[in-house]
Amino acid sequence: MDVTTPANDPWLVVGLGNPGSEYAMNRHNVGFMVVDLLAQRIGGKFKRAGKAQAQVLEGRIGPAGPAGRRVVLAKPMSYMNLSGGPVNALKDFYKVPVANIVAVHDELDIDYGTLRLKLGGGDNGHNGLKSMTKAMGAEYHRVRFGIGRPPGRMQVADFVLKDFSGAERKELDYFVDRAADAVEALVIEGLERAQGTYNS
């Protein structure tokens, strides 16, 4: 499938997570952490996006001036399993092609801190992706941030809704920074080149 889109089309970079301070450092909220860092790099603050039930920040990624890519950073303020509605509303409002949407999310089946970039595919049981795919199809990009599998007999739902461990937090800033770099590379250079640099 040809998913190339005009260079002047905006990108929508969606961090998946749950709103509220009690979830802020959960493994499930690493998508929020990555887009928060991207917002710092752009130098803006999130604002409420009207009826879309999301916080957004508009800006540019890449070279200064018109050569930079237009991006909308977004954090759905619905809960994770309802992410598709706000993302679809933002897609329509900003006129973003589905192929220019990037979901940044936690991934159980990848070791902690490992990144994988891809276009399309299944949801692998991730409720945020499941909701997005139901709302607009599966042909959007994903930046998958590995969190590993739960230890012992811990339930997946309990594991993803726990904060990163003390040992994990020692490297978390580095891994979040690298994930933000990967998003920028994807938007500026395209999927294949970004995969060559960041997929491991």
Side-chain angles (χ1 to χ4, degrees), residues 126-145:
H126 192 287
N127 287 331
L129 297 181
K130 192 177 297 183
S131 179
M132 284 181 60
T133 297
K134 183 178 180 182
M136 59 194 182
E139 291 303 307
Y140 53 90
H141 289 87
R142 298 101 189 275
V143 173
R144 305 157 72 201
F145 186 111

Side-chain angles (χ1 to χ4, degrees), residues 14-37 75-80 83 104-107 126 145 147 159-164 172 176:
V14 180
L16 294 180
N18 287 308
S21 58
E22 67 271 33
Y23 299 106
M25 289 303 297
N26 286 183
R27 293 182 178 93
H28 222 18
N29 269 44
V30 74
F32 275 17
M33 298 174 198
V34 174
V35 295
D36 281 340
L37 179 56
K75 297 189 292 185
M77 291 289 107
S78 60
Y79 284 91
M80 179 71 84
S83 300
V104 186
H105 64 92
D106 57 305
E107 179 62 63
H126 192 287
F145 186 111
I147 61 170
F159 179 68
V160 299
L161 292 176
K162 283 189 180 300
D163 289 357
F164 284 101
L172 183 60
V176 169

Side-chain angles (χ1 to χ4, degrees), residues 13 30-31 33-35 37-38 41 102 104-105 113-115 117 143-146 172-186 198:
V13 178
V30 74
M33 298 174 198
V34 174
V35 295
L37 179 56
L38 288 166
R41 293 180 180 184
V102 183
V104 186
H105 64 92
T114 299
L115 297 177
L117 283 65
V143 173
R144 305 157 72 201
F145 186 111
L172 183 60
D173 286 348
Y174 168 77
F175 289 139
V176 169
D177 190 71
R178 191 165 183 271
D181 290 346
V183 172
E184 291 182 344
L186 171 60
Y198 293 99

